[in-house]
Amino acid sequence: MDQVLGQVLRNAVWERLDMLADLADRADAQSLVSVARSELPRLTEGWRAMLKAHEPDERGDCPTCSTRWHRCKAPCSVWQAAHEHLVAGGLAPQQTASAASRLRPGRRRAAVPGQPSPAETTGRHALVPPRRATAPA
């Protein structure tokens, strides 16, 4: 039962991240401002809670990543990922990455360029209208 609940929780988090990535790529400016005001505080609090759990102990070990037999020295992979995505990523040259590159592994967009995926045609995100295929000009 724990595995089922764990999978449900993981799926919900991945879907939320996918939705936010879609919004960042496709929502209009007014919707983006609204989402930023509601989601940025939640995301920063989530990062803070996760980083607090990985704060090094008095020996410089991560108490969450360490086991009885293997001590994990700080900074652990969680702190490294936080730095990469929150600090270093902001300084890196901007790349034109598609939204598909941000989707979790195994998730795919439409197989045919310009054609909406099944999820996009169901209106799963209220703030983002489904993309419409355009005829070549």
Side-chain angles (χ1 to χ4, degrees):
M1 188 62 168
D2 288 340
Q3 288 180 337
V4 172
L5 178 59
Q7 189 62 48
V8 168
L9 293 175
R10 285 188 300 278
N11 285 344
V13 170
W14 284 120
E15 288 175 15
R16 182 67 168 203
L17 291 172
D18 289 347
M19 184 265 307
L20 291 172
D22 284 347
L23 285 171
D25 286 339
R26 299 178 23 214
D28 60 83
Q30 185 177 358
S31 298
L32 282 174
V33 169
S34 175
V35 169
R37 284 190 177 132
S38 66
E39 295 297 324
L40 282 175
R42 293 177 61 189
L43 290 170
T44 55
E45 284 305 310
W47 272 104
R48 285 184 175 130
M50 184 171 38
L51 292 172
K52 186 175 182 181
H54 291 267
E55 194 67 33
D57 62 17
E58 62 280 349
R59 293 180 301 210
D61 297 331
C62 173
T64 304
C65 295
S66 295
T67 67
R68 171 186 273 175
W69 299 277
H70 175 73
R71 306 308 301 170
C72 179
K73 286 291 183 195
C76 69
S77 62
V78 172
W79 273 98
Q80 292 172 20
H83 184 269
E84 175 67 26
H85 292 283
L86 298 173
V87 179
L91 302 175
Q94 296 298 316
Q95 298 177 2
T96 55
S98 68
S101 67
R102 288 195 305 261
L103 292 175
R104 70 177 172 203
R107 298 286 303 256
R108 298 283 187 253
R109 289 282 185 189
V112 179
Q115 295 293 319
S117 69
E120 292 171 324
T121 59
T122 61
R124 67 181 171 142
H125 305 306
L127 295 176
V128 181
R131 281 188 264 186
R132 300 287 179 221
T134 56

